[in-house]
Amino acid sequence: MNSRQAEFEGLMAAVLDGDASADDLARLRDLMRGEPAFVAEYQEQIRAHALLQWRSGAAAPENIVPVEFSPARKSWGSAWIGVAAALAIGGIFLWQRQPTGPPAPSTAGNVRLEVLEAARSGTDAPFELATGATLSLSDLQMPPGFFRFRLESGATFAVTGPADLRFVNPMHLRVVRGKVTTDVGENAKGFILETAQTKVVDLGTRFGVEVTESGHTDVVVFQGEVELHDSKKESSVNRLVEGEAVRVNFDRQVSRISSITSGPEGDDEWYSNGAPDSESVITAVFDNLHNPKSNFYYRILRGGMREDARAFIAKRHEWNGLDGGGMPIWLGGADLVQTYGAGSKNENLELLVDVAVPSVIYLFVDSRVAAPEWLVRDFTDTGATIGLENAPLPESGIPIKKGPGNGNLAPFAIWKKEVPVAGKVILG
């Protein structure tokens, strides 16, 4: 980065923070004169920042004052977002909020982030945040919707709004409220997501954090591992690995989250209290295991039953049809529960499955072992089978076979139980 670029970005940061003086504005105007790239970046920054502040309610329309400093006055046919801003080539406008009192102290600094995806939910005006835009800011208040960003550290994070975020630096993000799912990659290990209750330190992973309206923090690890630190102490509270999830309450006490609901693909859409819609058949799964050192969760994939569906948490095994004909057609699109191996050898294991509507529950049981008494009593053998691929370990370098009939498949019998009303079903 050359000195002119560095000076330009510093002045842009002052403008976005509302700290730019008259001399700063004059110098910014001089830098942009004859520099189309600076003009384009300026327009992108101001438009995105104005939208974020206005749409989130951080600045009311009557408190947004456009301040012209372009030497060329133009007559605009229409305002871009009403009183918030009016941007076009040849005319450049700034907006600043009217001061309403002493500024609140802040230790956060401006960071640069790229917009990868933006989709506001709801029926009101669309949220016009352009994909590919680059922002420079310290605070981020998001409306309801889904947004994805990339930080200059290389970490990407998805935000489910409404959300209120504070950036300390490109490797440290405070979540005041809302849901954030991060993928730090190889170059951003040590990335920190901090809340009022805990500090989550990445050890090379993909994980999610949600701060709820009631004030507790949920932490879910989808890949790799993280460390949890008490927000008031430096010592590590806990270490979570792939497939574990915990809730840290207002008193910073840690408890296991038994099940996570998500879409059939990807980790950005997840819920620790059941999906907030009527699409899920299975809404929660609990077990009778009480191991304070185990925080594994059951993952409910809405509509996730299909060829090559992952069978377990933190394992590569997949469900497939035993031959080229594929799995039974009536299984396609069913909710799938990914289990974990901690209780697989426990004869006293019981699962409690919560279903939201009348439904049919299917269990896949290893055909090579005798069916337990409770299964014969409560379920009916459909006579159909499915295959479980015994996937090789990742370090072997051997890929997982794809498609029905491929790979080292073990036969599993399919048993079913009809559930005539919504409620809880005990397995085991």
Side-chain angles (χ1 to χ4, degrees):
M1 180 185 299
N2 59 40
S3 59
R4 284 177 61 85
Q5 178 74 32
E7 183 181 9
F8 170 76
E9 293 188 0
L11 291 170
M12 273 298 309
V15 168
L16 296 177
D17 286 341
D19 298 329
S21 65
D23 290 341
D24 290 335
L25 296 180
R27 178 55 181 159
L28 185 60
R29 181 183 61 226
D30 291 340
L31 287 173
M32 288 192 293
R33 186 177 293 115
E35 289 283 357
F38 285 175
V39 173
E41 183 173 353
Y42 171 82
Q43 291 178 330
E44 194 78 36
Q45 293 270 10
I46 291 297
R47 181 167 70 171
H49 192 75
L51 274 170
L52 290 172
Q53 295 289 332
W54 183 46
R55 295 294 192 187
S56 66
E62 61 270 20
N63 289 334
I64 298 176
V65 182
V67 181
E68 182 186 358
F69 71 99
S70 170
R73 299 187 62 88
K74 297 278 186 178
S75 175
W76 310 108
S78 61
W80 175 62
I81 52 170
V83 298
L87 304 174
I89 298 299
I92 302 169
F93 289 75
L94 289 179
W95 66 266
Q96 294 176 329
R97 270 179 285 172
Q98 295 278 21
T100 56
S106 175
T107 59
N110 275 27
V111 299
R112 291 175 63 84
L113 57 152
E114 178 187 1
V115 181
L116 302 180
E117 187 176 349
R120 178 168 182 161
S121 62
T123 58
D124 54 357
F127 189 76
E128 301 175 13
L129 184 60
T131 300
T134 301
L135 312 178
S136 177
L137 42 77
S138 60
D139 300 344
L140 187 61
Q141 294 86 34
M142 306 304 300
F146 179 82
F147 311 89
R148 190 193 307 274
F149 303 93
R150 179 185 292 116
L151 286 161
E152 55 191 295
S153 61
T156 63
F157 66 97
V159 181
T160 302
D164 189 355
L165 313 178
R166 306 284 187 270
F167 294 95
V168 179
N169 57 54
M171 290 288 290
H172 190 161
L173 172 61
R174 292 194 182 109
V175 183
V176 180
R177 70 163 177 158
K179 183 186 300 179
V180 177
T181 307
T182 68
D183 190 339
V184 303
E186 290 297 321
N187 298 322
K189 291 183 179 180
F191 187 83
I192 296 172
L193 278 184
E194 182 179 358
T195 74
Q197 288 76 39
T198 188
K199 182 186 295 183
V200 186
V201 181
D202 159 70
L203 301 177
T205 190
R206 188 166 65 249
F207 68 99
V209 166
E210 180 176 18
V211 178
T212 67
E213 294 292 343
S214 62
H216 64 250
T217 297
D218 289 347
V219 182
V220 183
V221 181
F222 298 107
Q223 184 178 349
E225 57 183 316
V226 302
E227 282 185 348
L228 267 65
H229 295 259
D230 192 300
S231 60
K232 302 298 183 181
K233 302 176 183 178
E234 290 299 322
S235 59
S236 175
V237 172
N238 209 339
R239 178 173 289 202
L240 302 180
V241 299
E242 180 178 348
E244 291 191 304
V246 297
R247 174 164 295 162
V248 186
N249 69 12
F250 187 79
D251 296 322
R252 297 187 294 280
Q253 296 175 326
V254 179
S255 60
R256 174 195 175 201
I257 297 175
S258 65
S259 60
I260 298 294
T261 302
S262 67
E265 297 179 359
D267 300 322
D268 295 330
E269 181 204 0
W270 59 271
Y271 306 93
S272 53
N273 291 302
D277 54 44
S278 59
E279 296 181 14
S280 295
V281 176
I282 299 175
T283 57
V285 179
F286 305 91
D287 60 34
N288 61 343
L289 302 179
H290 302 286
N291 182 354
K293 296 183 179 181
S294 174
N295 292 302
F296 284 99
Y297 58 84
Y298 298 93
R299 187 171 185 178
I300 305 164
L301 297 181
R302 293 185 299 170
M305 194 63 209
R306 60 185 64 179
E307 297 288 346
D308 303 309
R310 189 70 63 89
F312 306 115
I313 295 291
K315 291 184 180 293
R316 304 172 80 202
H317 304 328
E318 296 180 347
W319 295 115
N320 280 108
L322 272 175
D323 55 37
M327 64 177 61
I329 191 171
W330 32 268
L331 285 179
D335 285 4
L336 172 64
V337 177
Q338 293 176 330
T339 61
Y340 64 94
S344 60
K345 299 183 184 301
N346 187 337
E347 294 183 356
N348 296 318
L349 172 67
E350 286 186 351
L351 296 183
L352 190 149
V353 179
D354 208 342
V355 294
V357 293
S359 53
V360 179
I361 292 181
Y362 296 96
L363 285 185
F364 306 153
V365 182
D366 194 332
S367 299
R368 299 166 296 181
V369 299
E373 179 183 350
W374 65 267
L375 181 67
V376 176
R377 180 190 68 228
D378 299 335
F379 282 73
T380 301
D381 188 348
T382 65
T385 55
I386 193 171
L388 177 67
E389 180 180 2
N390 187 17
L393 295 174
E395 53 267 28
S396 69
I398 302 174
I400 301 174
K401 300 292 185 180
K402 295 299 180 182
N406 293 321
N408 181 17
L409 299 174
F412 275 63
I414 303 175
W415 294 67
K416 76 173 184 179
K417 178 183 178 66
E418 296 187 6
V419 182
V421 295
K424 295 175 171 47
V425 179
I426 296 178
L427 311 178

